[in-house]
């Protein structure tokens, strides 16, 4: 009996539609979130992540109705992120059927929010989303910094130290996105994932840069991630979830 | 009419449970409730739970759900889920120690730090994701569910029942731990059937057909 590594398709949403930004700027429409979530669930996705990518920037709440619609039709875990700022926001999402919430910007502005949220709802439903960008130069030791607002705003926070602090505050899982790789299809930033996975006690979801199935494998074997998240390779039909699982299983990774 | 009460003590995500039950049953009335009369009128009780044990037990006691459950288990099937299962034990070490309802003898403890998996990698806590459940006892709730099926877990604490006779399902992370308990009218699981897709829905289907007292 071994815990399986998870494959998590991510629905980046804006105005109730699934979109996927290339480096968070050039956005393409990939359809209805409820239909897509249901399709992924039927295909054997291990979880669904729903991110309202513009919520933080424009002060928009993630659409509770969409979350409720998804939760009513998919019977696998659903994580919701984007615009989670208050305990009431979390309660609203859990009541709508979300299993976990991803906190990003609010955690940076108020690290105690993560502690309050974990105390109130339990660490198991508090995911801290970290958007990190490499700031070290050639020949220097690796260093990554936290960015907010879709990668626009630097914070001066060291990504590894920040991840450790968030876990100490009660984060139950880390969703780590490399801003350098997001949308590039060049694969995960494996050094970043490994540095954070080995520094924290909670599960790590690798995100940002998946372009093929070997990237998923590397995220787990080299990046030491517990789960791998991808959007466009699944949304645009380049690969299906069963293909991804078969490939990973062939490389010796335990999947469901 | 099959009346199912999902006990609501304000700790999140009960609608997922209700929706999963509604998805698999016909001629159902599913109530998410803490109302005494509704619970007493129900044919079946689901006792879910999410969150920190101190807050859960605080609400359970404030609403009198502990006493109500002791009464309900006498004459109808009760299905405990995740923290609901843990709350049925005598004591949890979460939040510095919390006394629980005590329908099962035994305690709730945390996964140890520094666990190492087969590949030598550090195992993370919470134990989160899809793990196999070995059916260690026969039970009508396991009908049409293949042995060693994968269910979705998310928890940092697990139950340690005093009597192995109460154990009907086990998983491992990396050491074996209790994933399902059963005694008389109570069946309880550590995982989330409402998040375990087909096999989870089958478990709810079995619950709707189970009349208790094996």
């Amino acid at each position: 009996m071994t815990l399986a590594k998870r494959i998590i398709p991510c629905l980046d949403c804006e105005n109730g539609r699934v979109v996927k930004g290339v480096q968070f700027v050039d956005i393409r429409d990939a359809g209805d979130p409820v239909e897509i979530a249901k399709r992924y669930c039927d295909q054997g996705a291990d979880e669904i992540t729903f991110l309202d990518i513009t919520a933080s920037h424009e002060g928009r709440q993630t659409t509770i109705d969409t979350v409720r619609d998804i939760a009513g039709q998919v019977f696998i875990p659903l994580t919701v992120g984007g615009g989670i700022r208050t305990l009431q926001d979390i309660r609203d999402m859990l009541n709508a059927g979300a299993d976990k919430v991803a906190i990003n910007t609010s955690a940076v502005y108020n690290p105690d929010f993560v502690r309050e949220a974990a105390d109130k709802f339990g660490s198991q439903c508090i995911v801290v989303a970290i958007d990190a960008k490499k700031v070290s130069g050639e020949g220097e030791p690796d260093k990554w910094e936290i960015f907010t607002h879709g990668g626009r705003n630097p914070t001066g926070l060291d990504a590894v130290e920040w991840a450790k602090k968030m876990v100490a505050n009660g984060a139950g899982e880390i969703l780590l996105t490399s801003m350098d790789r997001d949308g590039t299809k060049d694969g995960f930033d494996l050094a970043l994932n490994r540095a954070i996975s080995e520094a924290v006690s909670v599960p790590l979801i690798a995100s940002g840069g998946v372009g093929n199935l070997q990237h998923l494998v590397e995220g787990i074997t080299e990046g030491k991630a517990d789960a791998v998240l991808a959007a466009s390779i699944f949304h645009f039909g380049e690969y299906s979830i069963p293909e991804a699982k078969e490939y990973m299983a062939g490389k010796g990774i335990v999947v469901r | 009419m099959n009346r199912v009460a999902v006990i609501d003590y304000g700790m999140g995500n009960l609608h997922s449970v209700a929706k999963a039950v509604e998805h698999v049953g016909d001629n159902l009335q599913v109530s998410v409730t803490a109302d005494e009369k509704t619970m007493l009128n129900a044919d079946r009780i689901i006792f879910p739970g999410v969150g920190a044990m101190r807050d859960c037990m605080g609400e359970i006691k404030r609403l009198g759900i502990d006493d109500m459950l002791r009464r309900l288990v006498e004459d109808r099937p009760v299905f405990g889920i995740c923290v609901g299962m843990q709350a049925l034990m005598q004591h949890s070490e979460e939040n510095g120690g919390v006394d629980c309802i005590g329908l099962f003898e035994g305690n709730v403890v945390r996964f140890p730090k520094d666990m190492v998996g087969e590949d030598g990698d550090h195992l993370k806590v919470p134990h989160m994701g899809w793990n196999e459940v070995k059916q260690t006892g026969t039970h009508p709730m396991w009908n049409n569910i293949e042995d060693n099926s994968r269910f979705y877990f998310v928890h940092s604490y697990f139950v340690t029942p005093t009597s192995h006779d109460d154990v009907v399902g086990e998983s491992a992370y990396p050491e074996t731990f209790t994933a399902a308990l059963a005694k008389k009218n109570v069946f309880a699981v550590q995982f989330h059937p409402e998040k375990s897709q087909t096999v989870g829905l089958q478990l709810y289907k079995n619950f709707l057909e189970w009349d208790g007292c094996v």
Side-chain angles (χ1 to χ4, degrees), chain B residues 118-170:
Chain B
E118 283 170 13
D119 53 6
D121 281 348
H122 182 58
L123 291 181
K124 306 297 185 69
V125 177
H127 170 235
M128 184 186 288
W130 300 79
N131 206 336
E132 291 159 300
V133 174
K134 181 166 180 50
Q135 298 166 15
T136 56
T138 54
H139 196 285
M141 287 289 283
W142 291 134
N143 285 352
N144 297 316
I145 295 173
E146 229 176 278
D147 197 14
N148 298 314
S149 288
R150 286 188 184 274
F151 289 87
Y152 187 84
F153 290 83
V154 49
H155 61 125
S156 300
Y157 294 80
F158 61 95
V159 302
T160 56
T162 307
S163 169
H164 197 73
D165 293 345
D166 295 342
V167 179
V168 289
E170 288 178 339

Short mmCIF file of all heavy atoms in Angstrom, two decimals, chain B residues 118-170:
data_model
loop_
_atom_site.label_atom_id
_atom_site.label_comp_id
_atom_site.label_asym_id
_atom_site.label_seq_id
_atom_site.Cartn_x
_atom_site.Cartn_y
_atom_site.Cartn_z
N GLU B 118 9.52 3.99 0.90
CA GLU B 118 10.31 2.89 0.33
C GLU B 118 11.47 3.38 -0.53
O GLU B 118 12.53 2.76 -0.60
CB GLU B 118 9.40 1.99 -0.54
CG GLU B 118 8.53 1.06 0.27
CD GLU B 118 7.47 0.37 -0.59
OE1 GLU B 118 7.60 0.42 -1.83
OE2 GLU B 118 6.53 -0.21 -0.01
N ASP B 119 11.25 4.52 -1.21
CA ASP B 119 12.30 5.04 -2.09
C ASP B 119 13.31 5.90 -1.33
O ASP B 119 14.19 6.50 -1.93
CB ASP B 119 11.66 5.86 -3.23
CG ASP B 119 10.73 6.94 -2.72
OD1 ASP B 119 10.66 7.13 -1.48
OD2 ASP B 119 10.07 7.60 -3.54
N GLY B 120 13.16 5.96 0.00
CA GLY B 120 14.11 6.73 0.80
C GLY B 120 13.74 8.19 0.95
O GLY B 120 14.39 8.93 1.69
N ASP B 121 12.68 8.63 0.26
CA ASP B 121 12.26 10.02 0.36
C ASP B 121 11.48 10.26 1.65
O ASP B 121 10.80 9.38 2.16
CB ASP B 121 11.37 10.41 -0.84
CG ASP B 121 12.18 10.69 -2.08
OD1 ASP B 121 13.42 10.82 -1.95
OD2 ASP B 121 11.59 10.78 -3.17
N HIS B 122 11.61 11.48 2.15
CA HIS B 122 10.89 11.92 3.33
C HIS B 122 9.39 11.93 3.04
O HIS B 122 8.97 12.44 2.01
CB HIS B 122 11.38 13.34 3.64
CG HIS B 122 10.79 13.93 4.84
ND1 HIS B 122 10.90 13.35 6.09
CD2 HIS B 122 10.08 15.07 5.02
CE1 HIS B 122 10.28 14.10 6.97
NE2 HIS B 122 9.76 15.15 6.35
N LEU B 123 8.60 11.32 3.92
CA LEU B 123 7.15 11.31 3.70
C LEU B 123 6.51 12.55 4.32
O LEU B 123 6.79 12.91 5.46
CB LEU B 123 6.53 10.05 4.31
CG LEU B 123 6.87 8.72 3.64
CD1 LEU B 123 6.16 7.58 4.35
CD2 LEU B 123 6.46 8.74 2.17
N LYS B 124 5.62 13.16 3.55
CA LYS B 124 5.01 14.41 3.98
C LYS B 124 3.79 14.15 4.87
O LYS B 124 3.13 13.13 4.77
CB LYS B 124 4.56 15.21 2.75
CG LYS B 124 5.64 15.46 1.71
CD LYS B 124 6.78 16.29 2.28
CE LYS B 124 7.82 16.65 1.24
NZ LYS B 124 7.37 17.58 0.22
N VAL B 125 3.51 15.13 5.73
CA VAL B 125 2.29 15.13 6.52
C VAL B 125 1.63 16.49 6.29
O VAL B 125 2.31 17.50 6.40
CB VAL B 125 2.60 14.95 8.03
CG1 VAL B 125 1.31 15.03 8.85
CG2 VAL B 125 3.31 13.62 8.28
N PRO B 126 0.32 16.58 5.98
CA PRO B 126 -0.66 15.50 5.99
C PRO B 126 -0.40 14.37 4.97
O PRO B 126 0.25 14.58 3.95
CB PRO B 126 -1.97 16.21 5.63
CG PRO B 126 -1.66 17.63 5.34
CD PRO B 126 -0.25 17.86 5.59
N HIS B 127 -0.93 13.20 5.32
CA HIS B 127 -1.04 12.09 4.37
C HIS B 127 -2.15 12.49 3.42
O HIS B 127 -3.32 12.52 3.79
CB HIS B 127 -1.40 10.82 5.14
CG HIS B 127 -1.77 9.65 4.27
ND1 HIS B 127 -2.96 8.99 4.42
CD2 HIS B 127 -1.10 9.03 3.28
CE1 HIS B 127 -3.01 8.00 3.53
NE2 HIS B 127 -1.91 8.00 2.84
N MET B 128 -1.76 12.92 2.22
CA MET B 128 -2.74 13.53 1.32
C MET B 128 -2.69 12.85 -0.04
O MET B 128 -1.65 12.78 -0.67
CB MET B 128 -2.42 15.02 1.16
CG MET B 128 -3.42 15.77 0.33
SD MET B 128 -2.89 17.48 0.06
CE MET B 128 -3.14 18.18 1.68
N GLY B 129 -3.84 12.34 -0.47
CA GLY B 129 -3.91 11.74 -1.79
C GLY B 129 -4.59 10.37 -1.75
O GLY B 129 -5.27 10.03 -0.79
N TRP B 130 -4.36 9.63 -2.83
CA TRP B 130 -5.07 8.36 -3.04
C TRP B 130 -4.23 7.20 -2.54
O TRP B 130 -3.16 6.93 -3.07
CB TRP B 130 -5.40 8.19 -4.51
CG TRP B 130 -6.27 9.27 -5.07
CD1 TRP B 130 -5.87 10.53 -5.43
CD2 TRP B 130 -7.67 9.21 -5.31
NE1 TRP B 130 -6.95 11.24 -5.89
CE2 TRP B 130 -8.08 10.45 -5.84
CE3 TRP B 130 -8.64 8.21 -5.15
CZ2 TRP B 130 -9.39 10.74 -6.20
CZ3 TRP B 130 -9.95 8.49 -5.51
CH2 TRP B 130 -10.31 9.73 -6.03
N ASN B 131 -4.73 6.49 -1.55
CA ASN B 131 -4.00 5.34 -1.03
C ASN B 131 -4.92 4.12 -1.00
O ASN B 131 -6.15 4.25 -0.98
CB ASN B 131 -3.45 5.63 0.37
CG ASN B 131 -2.21 4.79 0.69
OD1 ASN B 131 -1.99 3.72 0.11
ND2 ASN B 131 -1.40 5.27 1.62
N GLU B 132 -4.29 2.95 -1.00
CA GLU B 132 -5.06 1.70 -1.03
C GLU B 132 -5.64 1.38 0.34
O GLU B 132 -5.01 1.66 1.36
CB GLU B 132 -4.15 0.55 -1.48
CG GLU B 132 -3.75 0.67 -2.94
CD GLU B 132 -2.49 -0.13 -3.25
OE1 GLU B 132 -1.44 0.16 -2.64
OE2 GLU B 132 -2.57 -1.02 -4.09
N VAL B 133 -6.82 0.79 0.33
CA VAL B 133 -7.45 0.35 1.56
C VAL B 133 -7.67 -1.15 1.48
O VAL B 133 -8.38 -1.65 0.59
CB VAL B 133 -8.79 1.07 1.81
CG1 VAL B 133 -9.50 0.48 3.02
CG2 VAL B 133 -8.55 2.56 2.01
N LYS B 134 -7.02 -1.86 2.39
CA LYS B 134 -7.18 -3.31 2.46
C LYS B 134 -8.35 -3.62 3.38
O LYS B 134 -8.43 -3.12 4.51
CB LYS B 134 -5.90 -3.94 3.01
CG LYS B 134 -6.00 -5.45 3.09
CD LYS B 134 -4.63 -6.10 3.31
CE LYS B 134 -4.77 -7.61 3.39
NZ LYS B 134 -5.56 -8.17 2.26
N GLN B 135 -9.27 -4.41 2.87
CA GLN B 135 -10.46 -4.76 3.66
C GLN B 135 -10.08 -5.90 4.61
O GLN B 135 -9.88 -7.03 4.18
CB GLN B 135 -11.60 -5.14 2.73
CG GLN B 135 -12.01 -3.96 1.83
CD GLN B 135 -12.91 -4.38 0.67
OE1 GLN B 135 -13.46 -5.48 0.65
NE2 GLN B 135 -13.05 -3.49 -0.30
N THR B 136 -9.97 -5.58 5.89
CA THR B 136 -9.49 -6.57 6.87
C THR B 136 -10.64 -7.32 7.53
O THR B 136 -10.41 -8.23 8.32
CB THR B 136 -8.63 -5.92 7.94
OG1 THR B 136 -9.40 -4.87 8.56
CG2 THR B 136 -7.37 -5.33 7.35
N GLY B 137 -11.85 -6.92 7.21
CA GLY B 137 -13.01 -7.64 7.74
C GLY B 137 -14.12 -7.57 6.71
O GLY B 137 -14.17 -6.62 5.92
N THR B 138 -14.98 -8.58 6.70
CA THR B 138 -16.11 -8.51 5.77
C THR B 138 -17.16 -7.58 6.38
O THR B 138 -17.34 -7.53 7.60
CB THR B 138 -16.75 -9.88 5.54
OG1 THR B 138 -17.07 -10.44 6.81
CG2 THR B 138 -15.81 -10.81 4.80
N HIS B 139 -17.83 -6.86 5.53
CA HIS B 139 -18.85 -5.93 5.99
C HIS B 139 -19.73 -5.56 4.80
O HIS B 139 -19.20 -5.39 3.68
CB HIS B 139 -18.18 -4.67 6.58
CG HIS B 139 -19.12 -3.85 7.41
ND1 HIS B 139 -20.10 -3.08 6.88
CD2 HIS B 139 -19.23 -3.72 8.76
CE1 HIS B 139 -20.77 -2.49 7.86
NE2 HIS B 139 -20.26 -2.86 9.01
N PRO B 140 -21.03 -5.41 5.00
CA PRO B 140 -21.90 -5.05 3.86
C PRO B 140 -21.49 -3.73 3.20
O PRO B 140 -21.77 -3.52 2.02
CB PRO B 140 -23.29 -4.89 4.51
CG PRO B 140 -23.21 -5.62 5.81
CD PRO B 140 -21.78 -5.64 6.23
N MET B 141 -20.80 -2.88 3.95
CA MET B 141 -20.36 -1.60 3.38
C MET B 141 -19.27 -1.79 2.31
O MET B 141 -19.03 -0.89 1.52
CB MET B 141 -19.85 -0.68 4.49
CG MET B 141 -20.97 -0.11 5.36
SD MET B 141 -21.97 1.14 4.50
CE MET B 141 -20.88 2.56 4.57
N TRP B 142 -18.62 -2.92 2.31
CA TRP B 142 -17.59 -3.17 1.29
C TRP B 142 -18.16 -3.83 0.03
O TRP B 142 -17.39 -4.14 -0.89
CB TRP B 142 -16.48 -4.07 1.85
CG TRP B 142 -15.59 -3.50 2.91
CD1 TRP B 142 -15.23 -4.13 4.07
CD2 TRP B 142 -14.91 -2.24 2.92
NE1 TRP B 142 -14.36 -3.33 4.80
CE2 TRP B 142 -14.16 -2.17 4.12
CE3 TRP B 142 -14.86 -1.15 2.04
CZ2 TRP B 142 -13.37 -1.06 4.45
CZ3 TRP B 142 -14.08 -0.05 2.38
CH2 TRP B 142 -13.35 -0.02 3.57
N ASN B 143 -19.46 -4.05 -0.02
CA ASN B 143 -20.06 -4.70 -1.19
C ASN B 143 -19.68 -3.99 -2.49
O ASN B 143 -19.75 -2.76 -2.58
CB ASN B 143 -21.59 -4.72 -1.09
CG ASN B 143 -22.07 -5.76 -0.10
OD1 ASN B 143 -21.28 -6.57 0.40
ND2 ASN B 143 -23.36 -5.74 0.21
N ASN B 144 -19.31 -4.77 -3.48
CA ASN B 144 -19.00 -4.23 -4.81
C ASN B 144 -17.83 -3.24 -4.82
O ASN B 144 -17.72 -2.41 -5.72
CB ASN B 144 -20.23 -3.56 -5.44
CG ASN B 144 -21.35 -4.55 -5.66
OD1 ASN B 144 -21.10 -5.66 -6.13
ND2 ASN B 144 -22.56 -4.19 -5.30
N ILE B 145 -17.01 -3.31 -3.79
CA ILE B 145 -15.79 -2.50 -3.78
C ILE B 145 -14.61 -3.46 -3.73
O ILE B 145 -14.49 -4.27 -2.83
CB ILE B 145 -15.76 -1.54 -2.56
CG1 ILE B 145 -16.90 -0.52 -2.68
CG2 ILE B 145 -14.40 -0.83 -2.49
CD1 ILE B 145 -17.06 0.36 -1.48
N GLU B 146 -13.76 -3.35 -4.74
CA GLU B 146 -12.62 -4.25 -4.84
C GLU B 146 -11.67 -4.04 -3.67
O GLU B 146 -11.44 -2.89 -3.25
CB GLU B 146 -11.89 -3.95 -6.15
CG GLU B 146 -11.58 -5.18 -6.97
CD GLU B 146 -10.95 -4.79 -8.30
OE1 GLU B 146 -11.71 -4.44 -9.23
OE2 GLU B 146 -9.72 -4.83 -8.38
N ASP B 147 -11.11 -5.13 -3.17
CA ASP B 147 -10.12 -5.01 -2.11
C ASP B 147 -8.92 -4.21 -2.65
O ASP B 147 -8.58 -4.28 -3.83
CB ASP B 147 -9.67 -6.41 -1.67
CG ASP B 147 -8.96 -6.39 -0.33
OD1 ASP B 147 -9.03 -5.36 0.38
OD2 ASP B 147 -8.34 -7.41 0.02
N ASN B 148 -8.32 -3.43 -1.76
CA ASN B 148 -7.17 -2.58 -2.11
C ASN B 148 -7.51 -1.46 -3.10
O ASN B 148 -6.62 -0.96 -3.80
CB ASN B 148 -6.00 -3.42 -2.64
CG ASN B 148 -5.49 -4.40 -1.60
OD1 ASN B 148 -5.29 -4.02 -0.44
ND2 ASN B 148 -5.31 -5.65 -1.97
N SER B 149 -8.78 -1.08 -3.16
CA SER B 149 -9.14 0.09 -3.97
C SER B 149 -8.50 1.33 -3.36
O SER B 149 -8.28 1.41 -2.15
CB SER B 149 -10.66 0.28 -3.97
OG SER B 149 -11.30 -0.70 -4.72
N ARG B 150 -8.25 2.33 -4.21
CA ARG B 150 -7.68 3.58 -3.73
C ARG B 150 -8.77 4.58 -3.38
O ARG B 150 -9.66 4.84 -4.18
CB ARG B 150 -6.76 4.21 -4.78
CG ARG B 150 -5.45 3.49 -4.92
CD ARG B 150 -4.48 4.24 -5.83
NE ARG B 150 -3.26 3.46 -6.01
CZ ARG B 150 -2.22 3.50 -5.16
NH1 ARG B 150 -2.25 4.32 -4.12
NH2 ARG B 150 -1.18 2.75 -5.37
N PHE B 151 -8.65 5.15 -2.16
CA PHE B 151 -9.56 6.19 -1.70
C PHE B 151 -8.74 7.45 -1.40
O PHE B 151 -7.54 7.38 -1.17
CB PHE B 151 -10.28 5.74 -0.42
CG PHE B 151 -11.30 4.66 -0.63
CD1 PHE B 151 -10.93 3.32 -0.60
CD2 PHE B 151 -12.64 4.97 -0.86
CE1 PHE B 151 -11.86 2.31 -0.78
CE2 PHE B 151 -13.58 3.96 -1.04
CZ PHE B 151 -13.19 2.63 -1.01
N TYR B 152 -9.45 8.58 -1.37
CA TYR B 152 -8.75 9.86 -1.14
C TYR B 152 -8.67 10.19 0.35
O TYR B 152 -9.69 10.32 1.03
CB TYR B 152 -9.45 11.00 -1.88
CG TYR B 152 -8.66 12.28 -1.80
CD1 TYR B 152 -7.62 12.53 -2.69
CD2 TYR B 152 -8.92 13.23 -0.82
CE1 TYR B 152 -6.87 13.68 -2.60
CE2 TYR B 152 -8.16 14.39 -0.73
CZ TYR B 152 -7.14 14.61 -1.63
OH TYR B 152 -6.38 15.75 -1.54
N PHE B 153 -7.45 10.34 0.81
CA PHE B 153 -7.19 10.69 2.21
C PHE B 153 -6.65 12.11 2.30
O PHE B 153 -5.91 12.56 1.42
CB PHE B 153 -6.09 9.79 2.79
CG PHE B 153 -6.48 8.36 3.02
CD1 PHE B 153 -6.43 7.43 1.98
CD2 PHE B 153 -6.84 7.91 4.28
CE1 PHE B 153 -6.75 6.10 2.20
CE2 PHE B 153 -7.16 6.58 4.51
CZ PHE B 153 -7.12 5.66 3.47
N VAL B 154 -6.99 12.79 3.38
CA VAL B 154 -6.23 13.99 3.75
C VAL B 154 -6.35 14.15 5.26
O VAL B 154 -7.39 14.51 5.78
CB VAL B 154 -6.65 15.26 2.96
CG1 VAL B 154 -8.14 15.47 2.95
CG2 VAL B 154 -5.93 16.48 3.50
N HIS B 155 -5.26 13.81 5.94
CA HIS B 155 -5.27 13.85 7.40
C HIS B 155 -3.85 13.79 7.96
O HIS B 155 -2.95 13.24 7.32
CB HIS B 155 -6.09 12.67 7.95
CG HIS B 155 -5.55 11.32 7.59
ND1 HIS B 155 -5.24 10.35 8.51
CD2 HIS B 155 -5.23 10.77 6.38
CE1 HIS B 155 -4.78 9.27 7.89
NE2 HIS B 155 -4.76 9.50 6.60
N SER B 156 -3.69 14.37 9.12
CA SER B 156 -2.41 14.32 9.81
C SER B 156 -2.49 13.42 11.04
O SER B 156 -1.48 13.07 11.63
CB SER B 156 -2.00 15.73 10.26
OG SER B 156 -1.88 16.57 9.14
N TYR B 157 -3.72 13.09 11.42
CA TYR B 157 -3.96 12.26 12.60
C TYR B 157 -4.70 10.99 12.16
O TYR B 157 -5.41 11.01 11.15
CB TYR B 157 -4.82 13.02 13.62
CG TYR B 157 -4.11 14.21 14.21
CD1 TYR B 157 -4.03 15.41 13.51
CD2 TYR B 157 -3.50 14.14 15.46
CE1 TYR B 157 -3.35 16.51 14.03
CE2 TYR B 157 -2.82 15.23 15.99
CZ TYR B 157 -2.76 16.41 15.27
OH TYR B 157 -2.08 17.49 15.79
N PHE B 158 -4.52 9.93 12.93
CA PHE B 158 -5.23 8.69 12.61
C PHE B 158 -5.65 7.99 13.89
O PHE B 158 -5.11 8.26 14.97
CB PHE B 158 -4.36 7.77 11.73
CG PHE B 158 -3.07 7.34 12.38
CD1 PHE B 158 -2.97 6.13 13.06
CD2 PHE B 158 -1.93 8.14 12.31
CE1 PHE B 158 -1.78 5.73 13.65
CE2 PHE B 158 -0.74 7.75 12.90
CZ PHE B 158 -0.66 6.55 13.57
N VAL B 159 -6.62 7.11 13.78
CA VAL B 159 -7.17 6.47 14.98
C VAL B 159 -6.37 5.21 15.34
O VAL B 159 -5.84 4.52 14.47
CB VAL B 159 -8.66 6.09 14.79
CG1 VAL B 159 -9.49 7.33 14.46
CG2 VAL B 159 -8.85 5.01 13.73
N THR B 160 -6.27 4.97 16.63
CA THR B 160 -5.61 3.75 17.13
C THR B 160 -6.59 3.04 18.06
O THR B 160 -6.55 3.24 19.27
CB THR B 160 -4.31 4.09 17.89
OG1 THR B 160 -4.63 5.01 18.94
CG2 THR B 160 -3.29 4.74 16.97
N PRO B 161 -7.49 2.23 17.48
CA PRO B 161 -8.50 1.56 18.30
C PRO B 161 -7.87 0.52 19.23
O PRO B 161 -6.88 -0.13 18.86
CB PRO B 161 -9.41 0.89 17.27
CG PRO B 161 -8.59 0.76 16.04
CD PRO B 161 -7.62 1.90 16.06
N THR B 162 -8.43 0.41 20.40
CA THR B 162 -7.91 -0.54 21.39
C THR B 162 -8.14 -1.97 20.91
O THR B 162 -7.28 -2.83 21.06
CB THR B 162 -8.63 -0.33 22.74
OG1 THR B 162 -8.52 1.05 23.08
CG2 THR B 162 -8.01 -1.18 23.84
N SER B 163 -9.34 -2.21 20.35
CA SER B 163 -9.67 -3.56 19.91
C SER B 163 -9.51 -3.72 18.41
O SER B 163 -10.13 -2.97 17.63
CB SER B 163 -11.13 -3.89 20.29
OG SER B 163 -11.52 -5.08 19.64
N HIS B 164 -8.69 -4.69 18.02
CA HIS B 164 -8.50 -4.91 16.58
C HIS B 164 -9.79 -5.43 15.93
O HIS B 164 -9.96 -5.35 14.72
CB HIS B 164 -7.33 -5.87 16.33
CG HIS B 164 -6.83 -5.82 14.93
ND1 HIS B 164 -6.11 -4.76 14.43
CD2 HIS B 164 -6.99 -6.67 13.89
CE1 HIS B 164 -5.83 -4.98 13.15
NE2 HIS B 164 -6.36 -6.12 12.79
N ASP B 165 -10.70 -5.95 16.75
CA ASP B 165 -11.98 -6.43 16.22
C ASP B 165 -12.78 -5.32 15.56
O ASP B 165 -13.64 -5.58 14.71
CB ASP B 165 -12.83 -7.03 17.35
CG ASP B 165 -12.21 -8.32 17.90
OD1 ASP B 165 -11.31 -8.87 17.23
OD2 ASP B 165 -12.62 -8.75 18.99
N ASP B 166 -12.52 -4.08 15.97
CA ASP B 166 -13.25 -2.95 15.39
C ASP B 166 -12.72 -2.55 14.02
O ASP B 166 -13.35 -1.77 13.31
CB ASP B 166 -13.16 -1.73 16.32
CG ASP B 166 -13.86 -1.97 17.66
OD1 ASP B 166 -14.68 -2.90 17.74
OD2 ASP B 166 -13.57 -1.22 18.61
N VAL B 167 -11.55 -3.05 13.65
CA VAL B 167 -10.90 -2.61 12.40
C VAL B 167 -11.43 -3.42 11.21
O VAL B 167 -11.39 -4.64 11.22
CB VAL B 167 -9.36 -2.78 12.51
CG1 VAL B 167 -8.69 -2.34 11.21
CG2 VAL B 167 -8.83 -1.98 13.68
N VAL B 168 -11.93 -2.71 10.18
CA VAL B 168 -12.39 -3.41 8.97
C VAL B 168 -11.63 -2.96 7.72
O VAL B 168 -11.85 -3.49 6.64
CB VAL B 168 -13.91 -3.24 8.74
CG1 VAL B 168 -14.68 -4.05 9.77
CG2 VAL B 168 -14.31 -1.79 8.76
N GLY B 169 -10.75 -1.98 7.89
CA GLY B 169 -9.96 -1.53 6.76
C GLY B 169 -8.66 -0.92 7.21
O GLY B 169 -8.62 -0.22 8.23
N GLU B 170 -7.58 -1.21 6.46
CA GLU B 170 -6.27 -0.67 6.81
C GLU B 170 -5.60 -0.07 5.58
O GLU B 170 -5.79 -0.54 4.46
CB GLU B 170 -5.36 -1.77 7.39
CG GLU B 170 -5.76 -2.20 8.77
CD GLU B 170 -4.89 -3.33 9.32
OE1 GLU B 170 -4.25 -4.05 8.52
OE2 GLU B 170 -4.86 -3.48 10.55
#
